[in-house]
Amino acid sequence: MTVIDISASVMQFLLAFVVVAPLLGAVAALLPAPPGLKGKNPDQAVLRHGVTVTGAVLIATIVLAVGFDHDHPATMQATTDISWIPALDVRIHLGIDGISLPLLLLTALLTFLCALYSYFKLPAGPSPNAFVALVLVLESGTLATFAVLDLLLFFLAFEMVLIPMYFLIARWGSGQRQAAAWKFILYTLLGSVVMLLGLLLIGLKSGTFDMVALATDNGRGLTTSVQVIAVLAIGLGLAVKTPMWPLHSWLPDAHTAAPTVGSVLLAGVLLKMGTYGFVRILLPIAPDGMRTFAPYLAAFAVVGIVYGSLACLALARTGAKGDLKRLIAYSSVGHMGFVLLGIATMTPTGVNGALFANIAHGLITGLLFFLVGAIKDRYGTADLDTLAGATGAALYGRAPRLGALLAFAAIASLGLPGLAGFWGEMLTLFGAYSPAEGLSRPAFRTFMAIGAFGTLLTAAYMLIVVRRVCMGEHTPHSRLSPDDRAPHAADDPEPSGAAGARPATTTPQLADIQTYEAAAWTPLAALTVLAGLWPAVLLGLTDPAVQKLLAGGKS
């Protein structure tokens, strides 16, 4: 069933347009604007260009989803297959199925919302032209990663996002931005070198780099030893990008230093590229190798779940001087641990849970980073002690709608039933209860129990954040900044009236949610509710494709 019947050639064009248009838009952003388009402010003109290009890509992606045959989500659609490097049998092979389509939509949506937000709130830094160009190159590389069906093209797209993200952190970030950017690029590049060796090993041993052909072969053309080596090499590169504990240490620094839109794209989109590689490449192409490493992957995943939660609890405690952006970054380590646990089960239930958790994390954590960026802009800091103790009223008293939305995003992140975060975690734990044949059931049930304990820790630190940031704390050591004093309180210090002394302070208001912020954040909040109440929309796309993938290309 298709919502609108669109011809195959138009679908091919739309997918090619989605991948290439941001790249062309990036080139155009660096060129001088035509006289008629400059307007009064050339900087605003290039920001409008960014909104226009990302908006066109989002519309094209939505049309692609509307024309997608939902009765056959396991079939590759909108495919393009053109020979590129005949000597290596490398082809420009594009296509989408029920696994990649939701990730394309998520990427296009988040990039458009970031471009819209940046139009009104551009981070301080060099030329806006360079900023817009980098965001568009980042979008093109991410969309290509989810659309290409050739191993070498996958690697090129996978690497394409590193340079723009490096510059977004290093040039538009804050704090220790140079050190964070270098740490990000070194970790990911070293992981990518090892991953390339694994991809070449698969291609040379099997005689093809075509991901569809390799998935259909289901590892039958590769010996077990080759599969084990390939999974180890490729898995390391993917695990760095995911990030999996203990290869995660670049992530908190990168998030803390990155500008708001950089954090949104890093958490909402880039982390998904690693887990997508596990599902698209390793599960179908090297199943024996994955079966060998699955228990270890699951063990690292649950350690990451608990470690990320404990790190968040440590940052959230009073007096720890924890940074709220850093806390959300550590929460991503825990959430992506659930995704890896679902993949490690090698079952349809677990893998569907992992894919659902991927999308839910992109929506919820993207919203959280938008909100934390707005809070930092208003307070001038993301330090939790300052946010909680500055007035004793905090967000509910100073910007109630902003506080309410932060509380909503926090409870969505902890996996409250009825919101998107619940289904991915639940299905992942169900998958761990009954893992694939050949995997140790007692071991995976232990992992399930540890993961379930991790959900309790997640609830604990998120509720602490809501209590402290939204409700505030009355402590005897709280001191008011000069800006927080009541108007004219210093001019009339004497008590007045029979009722006694006049209060020396009032609750100073902050700017609540602005119109452009509501426009950027409302779609994420609405989709979080929609995915939580109607999970069948997403699972109906992913489940047939996952079933076919795990069955070796057989529906």
Side-chain angles (χ1 to χ4, degrees), residues 238-488:
L238 297 174
V240 170
K241 187 68 74 73
T242 298
M244 180 185 77
W245 180 92
L247 304 173
H248 68 283
S249 61
W250 61 269
L251 183 70
D253 292 338
H255 271 308
T256 305
T260 297
V261 294
S263 292
V264 172
L265 293 174
L266 183 57
V269 177
L270 264 68
L271 302 190
K272 313 300 173 280
M273 295 164 64
T275 51
Y276 174 78
F278 276 104
V279 175
R280 177 65 74 197
I281 297 173
L282 295 184
L283 278 178
I285 295 175
D288 294 337
M290 272 297 292
R291 198 169 286 108
T292 300
F293 282 107
Y296 304 102
L297 180 62
F300 283 125
V302 295
V303 170
I305 292 170
V306 175
Y307 171 83
S309 298
L310 291 177
C312 290
L313 282 170
L315 289 169
R317 74 179 192 275
T318 303
K321 293 294 180 183
D323 186 284
L324 189 53
K325 284 189 75 176
R326 196 173 187 85
L327 185 146
I328 303 301
Y330 271 112
S331 78
S332 291
V333 176
H335 287 306
M336 298 312 289
F338 279 103
V339 178
L340 290 172
L341 177 60
I343 293 169
T345 67
M346 299 183 69
T347 62
T349 302
V351 176
N352 275 305
L355 294 172
F356 200 105
N358 248 350
I359 301 298
H361 178 264
L363 295 172
I364 297 168
T365 308
L367 177 58
L368 277 170
F369 274 117
F370 268 134
L371 292 167
V372 173
I375 291 170
K376 188 174 182 179
D377 287 338
R378 286 160 170 77
Y379 280 91
T381 180
D383 176 74
L384 273 165
D385 289 335
T386 303
L387 298 179
T391 64
L395 282 181
Y396 284 163
R398 305 186 72 182
R401 287 190 291 273
L402 184 60
L405 192 55
L406 178 65
F408 165 81
I411 62 172
S413 182
L414 63 84
L416 186 76
L419 299 175
F422 170 73
W423 294 105
E425 293 181 3
M426 187 193 72
L427 290 172
T428 292
L429 296 176
F430 279 170
Y433 182 80
S434 184
E437 187 178 348
L439 299 178
S440 170
R441 184 164 292 190
F444 271 83
R445 288 187 176 177
T446 302
F447 299 146
M448 180 198 74
I450 297 171
F453 176 66
T455 63
L456 299 178
L457 295 177
T458 303
Y461 71 74
M462 278 299 179
L463 291 176
I464 290 173
V465 167
V466 170
R467 176 177 61 80
R468 299 192 68 205
V469 178
C470 295
M471 301 177 186
E473 293 174 347
H474 292 277
T475 64
H477 302 294
S478 291
R479 291 175 179 253
L480 294 175
S481 67
D483 293 336
D484 290 336
R485 295 191 189 117
H488 310 298

Side-chain angles (χ1 to χ4, degrees), residues 19-375:
V19 172
V20 175
L23 207 55
L24 298 176
V27 174
L30 296 175
L31 298 175
L37 297 179
K38 281 185 178 180
K40 295 180 180 179
N41 189 337
D43 289 352
Q44 289 299 104
V46 75
L47 293 172
R48 278 197 301 274
H49 169 76
V51 174
T52 303
V53 174
T54 55
V57 170
L58 176 60
I59 291 170
T61 310
I62 293 172
V63 175
L64 200 61
V66 168
F68 188 81
D69 185 355
H70 292 262
D71 285 337
H72 301 92
T75 303
M76 283 295 171
Q77 302 179 34
T79 54
T80 299
D81 192 0
I82 304 168
S83 178
W84 184 35
I85 307 175
L88 296 176
D89 193 29
V90 177
R91 310 181 69 81
I92 299 176
H93 192 181
L94 306 175
I96 53 170
D97 63 358
I99 293 172
S100 50
L101 180 61
L103 290 166
L104 281 179
L105 286 166
L106 176 68
T107 302
L109 174 65
L110 281 177
T111 313
F112 170 70
L113 296 180
C114 284
L116 182 64
Y117 185 84
S118 299
Y119 179 78
F120 295 96
K121 190 72 178 178
L122 182 69
S127 162
N129 298 66
F131 177 84
V132 170
L134 289 170
V135 169
L136 291 175
V137 171
L138 188 69
E139 179 181 32
S140 180
T142 311
L143 291 169
T145 301
F146 300 136
V148 297
L149 298 172
D150 183 276
L151 288 179
L152 290 186
L153 276 184
F154 175 86
F155 176 78
L156 293 175
F158 197 85
E159 295 305 290
M160 185 175 166
V161 303
L162 300 185
I163 301 303
M165 182 53 71
Y166 167 82
F167 281 109
L168 285 174
I169 296 171
R171 303 301 298 276
W172 283 269
S174 59
Q176 301 293 320
R177 58 187 184 182
Q178 293 290 345
W182 273 112
K183 198 170 185 179
F184 163 75
I185 201 77
L186 288 175
Y187 264 77
T188 49
L189 277 179
L190 288 173
S192 298
V193 170
V194 181
M195 184 176 76
L196 177 60
L197 296 176
L199 295 173
L200 290 173
L201 177 65
I202 287 178
L204 295 174
K205 288 293 184 180
S206 62
T208 181
F209 290 99
D210 186 270
M211 291 159 67
V212 176
L214 288 166
T216 303
D217 188 60
N218 201 221
R220 286 182 286 270
L222 301 171
T223 64
T224 301
S225 59
V226 168
Q227 290 189 38
V228 168
I229 295 170
V231 168
L232 181 61
I234 298 170
L236 279 173
L238 297 174
V240 170
K241 187 68 74 73
T242 298
M244 180 185 77
W245 180 92
L247 304 173
H248 68 283
S249 61
W250 61 269
L251 183 70
D253 292 338
H255 271 308
T256 305
T260 297
V261 294
S263 292
V264 172
L265 293 174
L266 183 57
V269 177
L270 264 68
L271 302 190
K272 313 300 173 280
M273 295 164 64
T275 51
Y276 174 78
F278 276 104
V279 175
R280 177 65 74 197
I281 297 173
L282 295 184
L283 278 178
I285 295 175
D288 294 337
M290 272 297 292
R291 198 169 286 108
T292 300
F293 282 107
Y296 304 102
L297 180 62
F300 283 125
V302 295
V303 170
I305 292 170
V306 175
Y307 171 83
S309 298
L310 291 177
C312 290
L313 282 170
L315 289 169
R317 74 179 192 275
T318 303
K321 293 294 180 183
D323 186 284
L324 189 53
K325 284 189 75 176
R326 196 173 187 85
L327 185 146
I328 303 301
Y330 271 112
S331 78
S332 291
V333 176
H335 287 306
M336 298 312 289
F338 279 103
V339 178
L340 290 172
L341 177 60
I343 293 169
T345 67
M346 299 183 69
T347 62
T349 302
V351 176
N352 275 305
L355 294 172
F356 200 105
N358 248 350
I359 301 298
H361 178 264
L363 295 172
I364 297 168
T365 308
L367 177 58
L368 277 170
F369 274 117
F370 268 134
L371 292 167
V372 173
I375 291 170

